[in-house]
Amino acid sequence: MIDLSTDWIGLHLGSPLIAASSPNTRDISRIRQLEDVGAAAVVLPSLFEEQIELESRLLDQELSHGVDSFAESLTYLPEPAHFNFGPDAYLEHVRRAKDAVDIPVIGSLNGVSPGGWMRYARLIEQAGADALELNIYLLAGGTDRSAGELEAQYEELVAQVRASVRIPLAVKLSHQFTALGHFARRLADRGADGLVLFNRFYQPDLDIEALEVVPTLTLSRPSELLLRLTWVAMLYGHIDADLGVTGGVHTAADVLKAMMAGASAAMMTSALLQHGIGYLAGVRRDLHAWMDDHGYERIAEMRGSLSQRAIRNPDAYERANYLRVLSSYAVK
């Protein structure tokens, strides 16, 4: 009997297949479908710091009885209808998702500063979420703050949220940190039960006819998995936190690679948006088939088997591999 079960941030899951935050987890009927086809857990869409801020400003504006002190600042944020959920609606979505399925439901907060995070982390916990994912989306494009200051901001945020809730806490990270290994260890020390590698920044495009900056969104490609595998393999066994992979997970082979690198969870978004929710059932079947063909009874048996600390030549993940790759390319 093939056993796909895994432990992720204190949650015992039937498999490493988690449906990541996406339009699929915005709808209760789709969440039920995800459970039916084999998702071991779902991550709900994020509640954004801007949503909390907008709600607060709108309330202040109402209480000001027509005073226009907030009018200009409000125009910098999207209209309320453009958000997936307002804060109250988000909490209700957590409750409804918990009532609808038996698999773990993971809430998500997206922001860059403490502020309302502490309060809403507690409210998401009270709404019934089984765990919380901090999706810290901060593009450090300014010139005034150092890398150390930005990392300290992240660490303080994680520590404050950890002190606010008892449910498991994962942190979704970008790869754009100078000393990612050290920073990952610091986040684990401050209370992160798991790290999700990696967040994808969505770069805007330029409309040269309208002379405007326009938003763009592209789905992930399988090639993006390589960056995730490299860092999971290097971090595995060196930090006191579980590791999850998101971005580039499209097939059963991708899931197996993530497990062998050292991940406990593989999160899928783009493949399910491209091929439909039912695609996940095929990935699960392919996992079973591969493990049966190769003599694996439990997916836990392979975890970390190709991590940096497990392989014969650990330099394969660092500079030696860089030199080997550059010297191996043959010009046609």
Side-chain angles (χ1 to χ4, degrees), residues 76-233:
Y76 289 99
L77 296 172
E79 293 295 327
H82 292 173
F83 282 124
N84 293 334
F85 300 102
D88 291 339
Y90 187 88
L91 299 174
E92 180 61 23
H93 186 59
V94 174
R95 296 186 191 98
R96 293 182 61 216
K98 279 297 298 176
D99 289 341
V101 295
D102 294 324
I103 57 176
V105 172
I106 302 172
S108 177
L109 281 172
N110 184 310
V112 296
S113 61
W117 281 51
M118 309 309 106
R119 176 181 175 226
Y120 279 95
R122 289 190 292 269
L123 289 173
I124 289 172
E125 179 180 42
Q126 292 168 12
D130 296 286
L132 180 64
E133 180 180 279
L134 295 186
N135 183 3
I136 309 176
Y137 192 100
L138 174 61
L139 185 61
T143 60
D144 296 331
R145 289 189 294 170
S146 68
E149 290 172 322
L150 292 169
E151 290 177 8
Q153 180 179 341
Y154 274 66
E155 292 174 22
E156 183 60 23
L157 176 58
V158 170
Q160 290 190 22
V161 173
R162 175 71 285 168
S164 300
V165 297
R166 295 183 180 181
I167 55 177
L169 179 65
V171 180
K172 192 172 185 180
L173 285 179
S174 160
H175 69 278
Q176 297 174 329
F177 291 94
T178 304
L180 182 59
H182 177 268
F183 182 50
R185 181 173 61 80
R186 291 287 299 152
L187 292 179
D189 292 344
R190 300 302 292 271
D193 297 300
L195 301 179
V196 182
L197 310 180
F198 288 114
N199 204 341
R200 300 173 70 231
F201 284 128
Y202 296 100
Q203 295 87 5
D205 198 358
L206 303 181
D207 185 328
I208 59 175
E209 300 298 333
L211 299 181
E212 292 180 347
V213 179
V214 294
T216 61
L217 190 154
T218 57
L219 299 178
S220 75
R221 301 179 300 276
S223 60
E224 295 179 40
L225 180 66
L226 300 180
L227 177 66
R228 281 85 178 158
L229 295 179
T230 298
W231 276 105
V232 168

Side-chain angles (χ1 to χ4, degrees), residues 55-93:
E55 180 186 69
S56 176
R57 290 186 179 189
L58 288 171
L59 177 60
D60 286 342
Q61 189 179 42
E62 288 181 9
L63 294 176
S64 68
H65 300 291
V67 176
D68 294 330
S69 57
F70 290 95
E72 183 177 357
S73 62
L74 285 172
T75 64
Y76 289 99
L77 296 172
E79 293 295 327
H82 292 173
F83 282 124
N84 293 334
F85 300 102
D88 291 339
Y90 187 88
L91 299 174
E92 180 61 23
H93 186 59

Side-chain angles (χ1 to χ4, degrees), residues 6-13 18 41 106 131 133 168 170-171 193-196 241-245 264-265 267:
T6 186
D7 292 317
W8 166 243
I9 61 174
L11 303 173
H12 186 68
L13 306 181
I18 296 178
I106 302 172
E133 180 180 279
V171 180
D193 297 300
L195 301 179
V196 182
D242 291 336
L243 299 167
V245 169
S264 298
M267 303 184 183

Side-chain angles (χ1 to χ4, degrees), residues 234 308 314-323:
M234 290 197 294
Q308 186 180 42
D315 287 343
Y317 281 109
E318 297 187 11
R319 188 168 177 82
N321 188 56
Y322 172 74
L323 298 173

